[in-house]
Amino acid sequence: MILRPPPLPLWLLRRCLTGDAQAGPLLGDLHEEFHYRARRDGGSAARVWFWRAALSLTLSISAYRAAGAVIPGHRGIPGESAMSNWLGLEAVVHDTRYATRAVRKDWRYFAFAVAIVAIGVAASATVFSLAQPLMLRPLPFMEPGQLIWIANDGEGDGMSAVTSRTSNLTDFRSMASSFDGITGYNAFFQADVYNYIGSSGPRRLTGAGVAHDFLDVLGVQPQLGRNFTAEEGTSDGPLAIILSHAFWVAQFNSDPAIVGTDIIINEMPRLVVGVLPSSFDFASLFTPTARVDFLRTFPIDERTDRWGNTLAMIGRLDRQASVEAVQAELDAIVVGLQEAEPDRWGLGARVSTLRHHLAGPHTRAMLLLAGAAAIVMLIVCVNLSNLLLARAPRRTREMAIRAALGASRRRLIRQMVLESLIASASGAAAGILIAHQLTESVVRRASVSIPLLDTVTVDGVAILFAAGLAIAVGVVVGVFPALQVSDGGSQQGLTGSRSATVGRRARSLREGLVVAEIAMACVLLVVGGLLLRSLQEVLTAERGFESSGLVAWDVGPARDFGTYGDEAAFFEQLVEAVSAFPGVEAVGLVDSAPLGRNRSWSINIPGGLPEEDPEVHPHLVNDTYLQTLGIELKAGRFFNSDDMTIGLSARADRFMTEEERPESGLVAIINETAAQALFPGQDPIGQYVNTGPDWEIVGVVADMRHRTLEDAAGLQLYMPFAQNPDHDGLSMLVRSDLPVATLRVQVEAAMQAADPGMPTGDFETLDDVISRTTSPRRFTLALLGGFAVAALLLAIVGIYAVLSYGVAEQTREIGIRMALGETAQQVRLRIVKRTLLLASIGVGVGCLVALAASTAAQSQLYEVGAGDPLTLGAVATMLVLAALAAGLGPAIRASRTSSIRALETP
Amino acid sequence: MARVGEFELLVILAILRSGEAPYANRIREDLEANANRAVTRGALYRTLDRLKNKGLLVWEDAPSAAPERGGHPMRRLVVTALGREAARDSRDVLLGYFEGVGAALDGK
């Protein structure tokens, strides 16, 4: 197999050389040299060489182009240009050599400039890379712009409010003309249990149920095999699955022969008909933080329609159709269907682009981060300008000499800009490396629930973006001091003298820049502070249950049970076995662990009130669940073991017909919010709620935040799982002080003993669950907080640099003042006062801007107002103190000025 | 009078020796293997440029199907009549100078 040069630098170089007659032979020679080196020194050394050669060429050529200079040897006529000029770039080397000499003479300045540009570029490139897959790059489908998301327009914010019944899909498919296709997937697939016995023992798999034409509508071609057929999409069709790429690689070692064979899942053979391409990761797109091992078909028929709102619908627009036109068409269809069938429920359609659906919830956070990165970059520019302005007087003399010796002004400007470019390009290179590390660490934290985050890389586009940014910074920041300095061909430049007016003007300019810096850092710190306060509020909000010491196991028995009673008994025995372990305080069962599932059921109250059927979040639990979570009982009683034996279905399919249901004995517990909403002013105990059968309310418990930590509890209904078999598998919550590793061994042994075919490895501590659900918030905060700290440091450095320079510049003035009687303390006080003045103006302006900025960031805040006085006060104090600390050094140095020496200074 | 330096002469000779494959990378491999010199790409290309500017060398793009070149064309190097003459002159000057110094050269 022929070795290839690394694609990224090659791509960069190609972009750089596009449309150039020299490109072909040059690229060919580089290729050949790469192979030559690979043979001689090995592949890795050759790759390193290629990176270096390609990057140095790209940077040199870009630098020349940016400086507006004619690239040496390049005259645009094929065959005319010289070879070595491309590769050696002799003239670049000549000019660059002069610039590097200048840089070497002043290496402290250079190192500092590189460091601050690196910070700015790292921030910008990181945010750019993070935003790319979700907001900039096309989604990994064919013609992704034509894909739209069709949500239901149900009440409430549960997932059931945005998903649809399968009959909606069937009707939309047959009646809407603006689509090339409409498809969907079962949005509640994560609750399905799939046990698979692989080479490493039983394992629980996640399979997403999709309509048979799901991949066709998205335009995704399986990497191997084929898509589902219509027959496989029916309830009684053959069982077929398509493996995810990651699962295929991990479990089957990328064996292509797996396609066409059966694998046993839940003791049923399923035909592997295909393998998804690596570019399409279902989970990464639609259910970030979850894992999807395979796709199976989800039948679109009357049976699944009875399950209620289950489908997430995606449509592919006809090329001529617009989103608005589709919305209008679907509105008309919905009205028509509802009129024809007034009792039909769950009918509705709200259309948005698929990108908007995926990116929408994160757009504001990304924009906030982009804004923060832009501010960091601006502070970097201000700092750099300040540095260059501070260096300007020294350079003026040097430039005046060069001008006197015949250098043109253009040449001098180019020279200065090149110096600035060297610093910014080196900074950009370091910044890209930092950005690479940063994004890697973000991507590796797989528990951040932002779509496509795992595809984030600092790729060629991001590197180009960073390089462009660095060049822009280099030119913009370099050109103004260059204009100022290169104007020094006059007598003034040669003599080195400057009028007092020029000095004062330069100083006010520098101080103005410092004020701007403090103001910008203030904005970032305030927004970061508000986000931190929000996270704190979220984490300390009353959630209604105690998370520490709780671990949740997914329990999905692999074996078949004769009756639901047997199945219930199996679970109860498992609970008993685990409860008996020393160190285990309590064990409970629930069909959806806290913060794990998002669903709602419509219920009604026998007797009429309220008018609209309210939506409740149902929990199917055992008699110890509420106590295990530490949910407080407010009225009535908890479930008891008797409740766990009533109404058990004797049928193998678990479900009972109306006739088989017991007349009484079905009991439920509601939360306080439900009690107030459903039975205002009454005692809810002894009342009934209806979900089909009637449930007698026997208890009222405290509210518990089950969906997110941010949202209030809403209406909750707890039912014994024994009385309602509408679940797939259960979660077992174990409360214990034992270390998780110890507990795990015990619990897994008990699970193995109960059912050797049952996977045991799916567990999570509730603290981890909480950390995952707050991950987007932490993610934004971590990045923005980092930027804010960088901004603060940059501002401190900026203040220090400007004051130090000011003191050095005023040595003579300070000396005279001291000779005339000013004391050291007065000198210190004057400089400290000046620092305080600058800091206060900066903080004042910053707080005003921060107020506006945090209003824009309101959606990211929780229980904290945009003008939170605590945050504003803390930031203002911190900035003023930081400014004081930065100003103290120069102030002390100034107060030690010796009058005699100062007066001797020219 | 010799019009070329030592390395330039070696490059011209390497091109003349290369027969069917007068390409920069071949020349470099030849020089490294047979002239006992480590040749950097930059130095070779600069020399090629100098020789071209002196009129001792021309080049033309030639398509290449070699997989190692990734489908990119190559530059076929051709020594001009002037170049051959310069090489001959150098040879004559050198040989003339070596004549009669055999014993002194070997330190005998």
Short mmCIF file of all heavy atoms in Angstrom, two decimals, chain A residues 2 14 22 24-25 27-33 35-36 39-40 49 53 79 81-85 87-88 90, chain B residues 23-26 28-29 32 41-42 45-49 52 59 61 67-70 72-75 77:
data_model
loop_
_atom_site.label_atom_id
_atom_site.label_comp_id
_atom_site.label_asym_id
_atom_site.label_seq_id
_atom_site.Cartn_x
_atom_site.Cartn_y
_atom_site.Cartn_z
N ILE A 2 0.51 2.20 -0.84
CA ILE A 2 1.37 3.39 -0.90
C ILE A 2 1.04 4.34 0.25
O ILE A 2 -0.13 4.57 0.58
CB ILE A 2 1.22 4.08 -2.27
CG1 ILE A 2 2.20 5.23 -2.41
CG2 ILE A 2 -0.19 4.60 -2.49
CD1 ILE A 2 2.89 5.26 -3.72
N ARG A 14 -2.45 22.99 -0.64
CA ARG A 14 -3.21 23.02 -1.90
C ARG A 14 -4.07 24.26 -1.95
O ARG A 14 -4.14 24.94 -2.96
CB ARG A 14 -4.12 21.80 -1.97
CG ARG A 14 -3.46 20.65 -2.62
CD ARG A 14 -4.49 19.82 -3.39
NE ARG A 14 -3.81 18.64 -3.87
CZ ARG A 14 -3.95 17.43 -3.33
NH1 ARG A 14 -4.80 17.25 -2.35
NH2 ARG A 14 -3.27 16.43 -3.78
N GLN A 22 2.69 27.07 -10.45
CA GLN A 22 3.80 26.39 -9.80
C GLN A 22 3.35 25.19 -8.95
O GLN A 22 4.17 24.39 -8.50
CB GLN A 22 4.53 27.36 -8.86
CG GLN A 22 5.02 28.59 -9.54
CD GLN A 22 5.92 28.24 -10.68
OE1 GLN A 22 6.82 27.44 -10.54
NE2 GLN A 22 5.66 28.82 -11.86
N GLY A 24 1.66 22.34 -9.31
CA GLY A 24 1.83 20.93 -9.68
C GLY A 24 3.20 20.38 -9.35
O GLY A 24 3.35 19.47 -8.52
N PRO A 25 4.25 20.92 -9.99
CA PRO A 25 5.59 20.35 -9.75
C PRO A 25 6.00 20.46 -8.28
O PRO A 25 6.62 19.56 -7.74
CB PRO A 25 6.51 21.21 -10.61
CG PRO A 25 5.63 21.85 -11.62
CD PRO A 25 4.28 21.95 -11.04
N LEU A 27 4.05 20.45 -5.54
CA LEU A 27 3.38 19.41 -4.75
C LEU A 27 3.96 18.04 -5.07
O LEU A 27 4.15 17.21 -4.18
CB LEU A 27 1.87 19.43 -5.05
CG LEU A 27 1.13 20.63 -4.45
CD1 LEU A 27 -0.30 20.68 -4.96
CD2 LEU A 27 1.12 20.55 -2.93
N GLY A 28 4.25 17.81 -6.37
CA GLY A 28 4.83 16.53 -6.77
C GLY A 28 6.16 16.29 -6.09
O GLY A 28 6.41 15.21 -5.54
N ASP A 29 7.00 17.32 -6.08
CA ASP A 29 8.32 17.18 -5.45
C ASP A 29 8.18 16.90 -3.96
O ASP A 29 8.91 16.10 -3.39
CB ASP A 29 9.16 18.44 -5.68
CG ASP A 29 9.74 18.46 -7.10
OD1 ASP A 29 9.53 17.47 -7.82
OD2 ASP A 29 10.36 19.46 -7.48
N LEU A 30 7.22 17.62 -3.34
CA LEU A 30 7.02 17.40 -1.90
C LEU A 30 6.54 15.98 -1.63
O LEU A 30 6.99 15.33 -0.69
CB LEU A 30 6.00 18.40 -1.34
CG LEU A 30 6.54 19.81 -1.13
CD1 LEU A 30 5.40 20.75 -0.74
CD2 LEU A 30 7.60 19.83 -0.03
N HIS A 31 5.63 15.51 -2.48
CA HIS A 31 5.16 14.13 -2.36
C HIS A 31 6.34 13.16 -2.44
O HIS A 31 6.49 12.26 -1.62
CB HIS A 31 4.20 13.79 -3.51
CG HIS A 31 2.77 13.97 -3.16
ND1 HIS A 31 2.16 15.20 -3.13
CD2 HIS A 31 1.80 13.08 -2.81
CE1 HIS A 31 0.90 15.06 -2.81
NE2 HIS A 31 0.65 13.78 -2.60
N GLU A 32 7.15 13.39 -3.46
CA GLU A 32 8.23 12.47 -3.71
C GLU A 32 9.24 12.50 -2.56
O GLU A 32 9.72 11.47 -2.11
CB GLU A 32 8.90 12.83 -5.02
CG GLU A 32 9.23 11.60 -5.82
CD GLU A 32 9.88 11.94 -7.12
OE1 GLU A 32 9.49 12.94 -7.75
OE2 GLU A 32 10.81 11.21 -7.50
N GLU A 33 9.51 13.71 -2.12
CA GLU A 33 10.44 13.86 -1.01
C GLU A 33 9.90 13.14 0.23
O GLU A 33 10.64 12.52 0.98
CB GLU A 33 10.63 15.36 -0.70
CG GLU A 33 11.35 15.62 0.60
CD GLU A 33 12.78 16.04 0.40
OE1 GLU A 33 13.08 16.54 -0.68
OE2 GLU A 33 13.58 15.87 1.33
N HIS A 35 8.05 10.49 0.28
CA HIS A 35 8.27 9.05 0.15
C HIS A 35 9.74 8.69 0.33
O HIS A 35 10.07 7.68 0.94
CB HIS A 35 7.77 8.57 -1.22
CG HIS A 35 6.28 8.56 -1.28
ND1 HIS A 35 5.52 7.63 -0.63
CD2 HIS A 35 5.40 9.40 -1.86
CE1 HIS A 35 4.24 7.88 -0.82
NE2 HIS A 35 4.14 8.96 -1.58
N TYR A 36 10.57 9.58 -0.20
CA TYR A 36 12.02 9.36 -0.05
C TYR A 36 12.38 9.31 1.43
O TYR A 36 13.07 8.42 1.91
CB TYR A 36 12.73 10.50 -0.78
CG TYR A 36 14.20 10.60 -0.50
CD1 TYR A 36 15.10 9.69 -1.07
CD2 TYR A 36 14.70 11.60 0.32
CE1 TYR A 36 16.45 9.79 -0.82
CE2 TYR A 36 16.05 11.71 0.58
CZ TYR A 36 16.93 10.79 0.01
OH TYR A 36 18.26 10.88 0.27
N ARG A 39 11.08 6.22 3.24
CA ARG A 39 11.93 5.05 3.05
C ARG A 39 13.19 5.17 3.91
O ARG A 39 13.65 4.21 4.51
CB ARG A 39 12.35 4.95 1.57
CG ARG A 39 11.31 4.29 0.68
CD ARG A 39 11.94 3.87 -0.64
NE ARG A 39 12.65 4.94 -1.33
CZ ARG A 39 12.07 5.84 -2.12
NH1 ARG A 39 10.78 5.77 -2.34
NH2 ARG A 39 12.78 6.78 -2.71
N ARG A 40 13.71 6.40 3.94
CA ARG A 40 15.01 6.57 4.61
C ARG A 40 14.86 6.62 6.13
O ARG A 40 15.60 5.97 6.86
CB ARG A 40 15.66 7.86 4.11
CG ARG A 40 17.14 7.96 4.44
CD ARG A 40 17.70 9.30 4.07
NE ARG A 40 17.07 10.38 4.81
CZ ARG A 40 17.33 11.67 4.60
NH1 ARG A 40 18.15 12.04 3.64
NH2 ARG A 40 16.73 12.58 5.32
N TRP A 49 8.19 15.70 8.99
CA TRP A 49 8.85 16.58 8.03
C TRP A 49 7.81 17.25 7.15
O TRP A 49 7.87 18.45 6.89
CB TRP A 49 9.84 15.77 7.17
CG TRP A 49 10.28 16.58 5.99
CD1 TRP A 49 11.28 17.51 5.98
CD2 TRP A 49 9.73 16.57 4.68
NE1 TRP A 49 11.36 18.08 4.75
CE2 TRP A 49 10.42 17.53 3.92
CE3 TRP A 49 8.69 15.86 4.07
CZ2 TRP A 49 10.12 17.77 2.58
CZ3 TRP A 49 8.40 16.10 2.75
CH2 TRP A 49 9.10 17.06 2.01
N ALA A 53 7.29 21.20 6.57
CA ALA A 53 7.54 21.82 5.26
C ALA A 53 6.27 22.51 4.78
O ALA A 53 6.31 23.68 4.35
CB ALA A 53 7.97 20.75 4.27
N GLY A 79 6.00 28.62 -15.94
CA GLY A 79 7.33 28.32 -16.43
C GLY A 79 8.31 29.46 -16.26
O GLY A 79 9.50 29.32 -16.46
N SER A 81 8.62 31.35 -13.40
CA SER A 81 9.11 31.60 -12.06
C SER A 81 10.20 30.60 -11.66
O SER A 81 10.25 29.48 -12.15
CB SER A 81 7.96 31.54 -11.07
OG SER A 81 7.25 30.38 -11.32
N ALA A 82 10.99 31.04 -10.77
CA ALA A 82 12.12 30.20 -10.37
C ALA A 82 11.68 29.22 -9.30
O ALA A 82 10.81 29.49 -8.50
CB ALA A 82 13.23 31.08 -9.83
N MET A 83 12.31 28.08 -9.30
CA MET A 83 11.93 27.01 -8.41
C MET A 83 12.31 27.29 -6.96
O MET A 83 11.53 27.14 -6.04
CB MET A 83 12.70 25.78 -8.84
CG MET A 83 11.88 24.58 -9.04
SD MET A 83 12.87 23.55 -10.08
CE MET A 83 12.27 22.00 -9.64
N SER A 84 13.52 27.74 -6.80
CA SER A 84 14.01 27.86 -5.43
C SER A 84 13.26 28.93 -4.67
O SER A 84 13.10 28.85 -3.47
CB SER A 84 15.48 28.19 -5.42
OG SER A 84 15.66 29.53 -5.81
N ASN A 85 12.75 29.94 -5.41
CA ASN A 85 12.07 31.01 -4.71
C ASN A 85 10.81 30.51 -4.03
O ASN A 85 10.39 31.03 -3.01
CB ASN A 85 11.74 32.14 -5.68
CG ASN A 85 12.97 32.99 -5.90
OD1 ASN A 85 13.88 32.96 -5.08
ND2 ASN A 85 13.02 33.70 -7.01
N LEU A 87 10.54 27.46 -2.83
CA LEU A 87 10.87 26.61 -1.71
C LEU A 87 11.75 27.32 -0.70
O LEU A 87 11.56 27.22 0.49
CB LEU A 87 11.52 25.34 -2.22
CG LEU A 87 10.51 24.52 -3.02
CD1 LEU A 87 11.18 23.63 -4.01
CD2 LEU A 87 9.65 23.73 -2.07
N GLY A 88 12.72 28.05 -1.20
CA GLY A 88 13.59 28.76 -0.28
C GLY A 88 13.01 30.10 0.10
O GLY A 88 13.27 30.63 1.16
N GLU A 90 13.67 33.09 -1.00
CA GLU A 90 14.83 33.85 -0.55
C GLU A 90 14.50 35.26 -0.08
O GLU A 90 15.00 35.73 0.93
CB GLU A 90 15.86 33.91 -1.69
CG GLU A 90 16.78 32.71 -1.63
CD GLU A 90 17.58 32.56 -2.88
OE1 GLU A 90 17.02 32.74 -3.97
OE2 GLU A 90 18.77 32.26 -2.77
N TYR B 23 15.29 14.23 -13.07
CA TYR B 23 14.38 14.97 -12.20
C TYR B 23 15.08 15.31 -10.89
O TYR B 23 15.98 14.59 -10.44
CB TYR B 23 13.14 14.14 -11.91
CG TYR B 23 12.46 13.69 -13.17
CD1 TYR B 23 12.45 12.36 -13.55
CD2 TYR B 23 11.86 14.64 -14.01
CE1 TYR B 23 11.85 11.97 -14.73
CE2 TYR B 23 11.26 14.25 -15.18
CZ TYR B 23 11.26 12.91 -15.56
OH TYR B 23 10.67 12.54 -16.72
N ALA B 24 14.63 16.41 -10.29
CA ALA B 24 15.33 16.95 -9.13
C ALA B 24 15.59 15.90 -8.04
O ALA B 24 16.70 15.79 -7.52
CB ALA B 24 14.54 18.11 -8.56
N ASN B 25 14.55 15.14 -7.73
CA ASN B 25 14.75 14.18 -6.64
C ASN B 25 15.74 13.07 -6.99
O ASN B 25 16.46 12.57 -6.14
CB ASN B 25 13.40 13.58 -6.22
CG ASN B 25 12.57 14.57 -5.42
OD1 ASN B 25 13.13 15.51 -4.84
ND2 ASN B 25 11.27 14.39 -5.39
N ARG B 26 15.72 12.66 -8.31
CA ARG B 26 16.69 11.64 -8.75
C ARG B 26 18.10 12.18 -8.59
O ARG B 26 19.01 11.52 -8.12
CB ARG B 26 16.51 11.29 -10.22
CG ARG B 26 15.21 10.61 -10.64
CD ARG B 26 15.07 9.27 -9.98
NE ARG B 26 14.29 9.44 -8.75
CZ ARG B 26 13.00 9.79 -8.76
NH1 ARG B 26 12.34 9.97 -9.88
NH2 ARG B 26 12.35 9.95 -7.63
N ARG B 28 19.16 14.40 -6.60
CA ARG B 28 19.58 14.48 -5.21
C ARG B 28 19.97 13.12 -4.67
O ARG B 28 20.94 12.98 -3.94
CB ARG B 28 18.47 15.07 -4.36
CG ARG B 28 19.04 15.84 -3.20
CD ARG B 28 17.99 16.34 -2.34
NE ARG B 28 17.13 15.23 -1.95
CZ ARG B 28 16.14 15.36 -1.11
NH1 ARG B 28 15.89 16.54 -0.61
NH2 ARG B 28 15.42 14.33 -0.78
N GLU B 29 19.14 12.12 -5.03
CA GLU B 29 19.48 10.77 -4.57
C GLU B 29 20.85 10.36 -5.07
O GLU B 29 21.66 9.77 -4.35
CB GLU B 29 18.42 9.77 -5.07
CG GLU B 29 17.13 9.85 -4.29
CD GLU B 29 15.99 9.10 -4.98
OE1 GLU B 29 16.28 8.20 -5.80
OE2 GLU B 29 14.83 9.45 -4.72
N GLU B 32 23.57 12.18 -3.18
CA GLU B 32 23.74 11.67 -1.83
C GLU B 32 24.42 10.31 -1.84
O GLU B 32 25.25 10.00 -0.98
CB GLU B 32 22.38 11.56 -1.14
CG GLU B 32 21.76 12.92 -0.90
CD GLU B 32 20.82 12.96 0.29
OE1 GLU B 32 20.21 11.93 0.58
OE2 GLU B 32 20.71 14.04 0.91
N ARG B 41 17.07 20.02 0.15
CA ARG B 41 16.22 20.37 -0.98
C ARG B 41 16.44 21.82 -1.38
O ARG B 41 16.62 22.15 -2.54
CB ARG B 41 14.76 20.18 -0.53
CG ARG B 41 13.77 19.99 -1.57
CD ARG B 41 12.51 19.41 -0.91
NE ARG B 41 12.40 19.89 0.47
CZ ARG B 41 11.59 20.87 0.83
NH1 ARG B 41 10.84 21.46 -0.06
NH2 ARG B 41 11.53 21.23 2.09
N GLY B 42 16.46 22.72 -0.37
CA GLY B 42 16.62 24.14 -0.64
C GLY B 42 17.91 24.40 -1.41
O GLY B 42 17.93 25.14 -2.39
N TYR B 45 17.66 23.22 -5.05
CA TYR B 45 16.80 24.07 -5.89
C TYR B 45 17.45 25.42 -6.15
O TYR B 45 17.33 25.97 -7.23
CB TYR B 45 15.42 24.23 -5.23
CG TYR B 45 14.59 22.98 -5.32
CD1 TYR B 45 13.81 22.56 -4.27
CD2 TYR B 45 14.60 22.21 -6.49
CE1 TYR B 45 13.06 21.40 -4.35
CE2 TYR B 45 13.85 21.05 -6.57
CZ TYR B 45 13.09 20.65 -5.51
OH TYR B 45 12.36 19.51 -5.59
N ARG B 46 18.11 25.93 -5.14
CA ARG B 46 18.79 27.22 -5.36
C ARG B 46 19.87 27.06 -6.43
O ARG B 46 20.04 27.92 -7.29
CB ARG B 46 19.37 27.74 -4.05
CG ARG B 46 18.40 28.66 -3.33
CD ARG B 46 19.10 29.43 -2.23
NE ARG B 46 19.41 28.56 -1.10
CZ ARG B 46 18.49 28.24 -0.17
NH1 ARG B 46 17.29 28.75 -0.22
NH2 ARG B 46 18.82 27.45 0.82
N THR B 47 20.56 25.95 -6.37
CA THR B 47 21.61 25.70 -7.37
C THR B 47 21.00 25.56 -8.76
O THR B 47 21.51 26.12 -9.74
CB THR B 47 22.40 24.43 -7.00
OG1 THR B 47 22.83 24.57 -5.65
CG2 THR B 47 23.58 24.22 -7.91
N LEU B 48 19.88 24.83 -8.82
CA LEU B 48 19.21 24.67 -10.12
C LEU B 48 18.81 26.04 -10.67
O LEU B 48 18.98 26.33 -11.86
CB LEU B 48 17.97 23.78 -9.97
CG LEU B 48 18.24 22.30 -9.67
CD1 LEU B 48 16.93 21.56 -9.42
CD2 LEU B 48 19.00 21.63 -10.80
N ASP B 49 18.29 26.89 -9.78
CA ASP B 49 17.92 28.24 -10.20
C ASP B 49 19.11 29.01 -10.75
O ASP B 49 19.03 29.67 -11.77
CB ASP B 49 17.38 29.01 -8.99
CG ASP B 49 15.86 28.89 -8.91
OD1 ASP B 49 15.28 28.37 -9.89
OD2 ASP B 49 15.30 29.29 -7.89
N LYS B 52 20.10 27.84 -14.04
CA LYS B 52 19.15 28.27 -15.07
C LYS B 52 19.41 29.73 -15.44
O LYS B 52 19.43 30.09 -16.61
CB LYS B 52 17.72 28.10 -14.55
CG LYS B 52 16.70 28.42 -15.62
CD LYS B 52 15.30 28.29 -15.09
CE LYS B 52 14.31 28.68 -16.17
NZ LYS B 52 13.35 29.66 -15.75
N TRP B 59 14.39 23.77 -18.03
CA TRP B 59 13.50 22.70 -17.59
C TRP B 59 12.12 22.84 -18.20
O TRP B 59 11.72 23.91 -18.62
CB TRP B 59 13.43 22.59 -16.08
CG TRP B 59 12.97 23.81 -15.34
CD1 TRP B 59 11.78 24.43 -15.44
CD2 TRP B 59 13.71 24.53 -14.35
NE1 TRP B 59 11.71 25.49 -14.60
CE2 TRP B 59 12.88 25.57 -13.90
CE3 TRP B 59 14.99 24.39 -13.78
CZ2 TRP B 59 13.28 26.48 -12.93
CZ3 TRP B 59 15.37 25.29 -12.81
CH2 TRP B 59 14.53 26.32 -12.41
N ASP B 61 7.87 21.14 -17.77
CA ASP B 61 6.98 20.27 -16.98
C ASP B 61 6.67 19.02 -17.79
O ASP B 61 6.39 19.10 -18.98
CB ASP B 61 5.67 20.99 -16.66
CG ASP B 61 5.88 22.01 -15.56
OD1 ASP B 61 7.03 22.14 -15.10
OD2 ASP B 61 4.90 22.68 -15.18
N PRO B 67 3.01 6.87 -8.72
CA PRO B 67 2.09 7.02 -7.58
C PRO B 67 2.71 7.84 -6.46
O PRO B 67 2.02 8.52 -5.72
CB PRO B 67 1.83 5.58 -7.13
CG PRO B 67 2.89 4.75 -7.74
CD PRO B 67 3.35 5.45 -8.97
N GLU B 68 4.04 7.82 -6.38
CA GLU B 68 4.72 8.55 -5.30
C GLU B 68 4.56 10.06 -5.46
O GLU B 68 4.77 10.81 -4.52
CB GLU B 68 6.21 8.22 -5.30
CG GLU B 68 6.49 6.82 -4.85
CD GLU B 68 7.94 6.65 -4.49
OE1 GLU B 68 8.74 7.43 -5.03
OE2 GLU B 68 8.25 5.77 -3.67
N ARG B 69 4.24 10.51 -6.68
CA ARG B 69 4.10 11.95 -6.88
C ARG B 69 2.65 12.38 -6.72
O ARG B 69 2.32 13.56 -6.95
CB ARG B 69 4.63 12.37 -8.25
CG ARG B 69 6.14 12.26 -8.36
CD ARG B 69 6.66 12.90 -9.62
NE ARG B 69 6.44 14.33 -9.69
CZ ARG B 69 7.22 15.24 -9.10
NH1 ARG B 69 8.26 14.86 -8.41
NH2 ARG B 69 6.95 16.52 -9.22
N GLY B 70 1.80 11.47 -6.37
CA GLY B 70 0.40 11.81 -6.15
C GLY B 70 -0.25 12.41 -7.38
O GLY B 70 -1.15 13.24 -7.28
N HIS B 72 1.05 14.44 -9.58
CA HIS B 72 1.52 15.77 -9.95
C HIS B 72 2.63 15.69 -11.00
O HIS B 72 3.39 14.72 -11.02
CB HIS B 72 2.03 16.51 -8.73
CG HIS B 72 0.97 16.72 -7.70
ND1 HIS B 72 -0.11 17.53 -7.90
CD2 HIS B 72 0.81 16.17 -6.46
CE1 HIS B 72 -0.88 17.50 -6.85
NE2 HIS B 72 -0.35 16.68 -5.96
N PRO B 73 2.73 16.72 -11.88
CA PRO B 73 3.77 16.69 -12.93
C PRO B 73 5.17 16.85 -12.34
O PRO B 73 5.33 17.22 -11.18
CB PRO B 73 3.42 17.89 -13.81
CG PRO B 73 2.62 18.78 -12.94
CD PRO B 73 1.91 17.92 -11.95
N MET B 74 6.20 16.57 -13.15
CA MET B 74 7.58 16.73 -12.69
C MET B 74 8.27 17.74 -13.59
O MET B 74 7.81 18.06 -14.67
CB MET B 74 8.38 15.43 -12.79
CG MET B 74 7.60 14.18 -12.81
SD MET B 74 8.64 12.73 -12.98
CE MET B 74 9.61 12.79 -11.52
N ARG B 75 9.41 18.22 -13.13
CA ARG B 75 10.22 19.09 -13.99
C ARG B 75 11.35 18.29 -14.57
O ARG B 75 12.19 17.76 -13.84
CB ARG B 75 10.79 20.24 -13.16
CG ARG B 75 9.86 21.38 -13.10
CD ARG B 75 10.46 22.47 -12.27
NE ARG B 75 9.41 23.24 -11.66
CZ ARG B 75 8.83 24.27 -12.28
NH1 ARG B 75 9.26 24.66 -13.46
NH2 ARG B 75 7.87 24.91 -11.69
N LEU B 77 14.76 18.15 -16.26
CA LEU B 77 15.91 19.06 -16.32
C LEU B 77 16.78 18.71 -17.54
O LEU B 77 17.03 17.53 -17.80
CB LEU B 77 16.75 18.93 -15.05
CG LEU B 77 15.97 19.13 -13.74
CD1 LEU B 77 16.81 18.68 -12.55
CD2 LEU B 77 15.57 20.58 -13.57
#
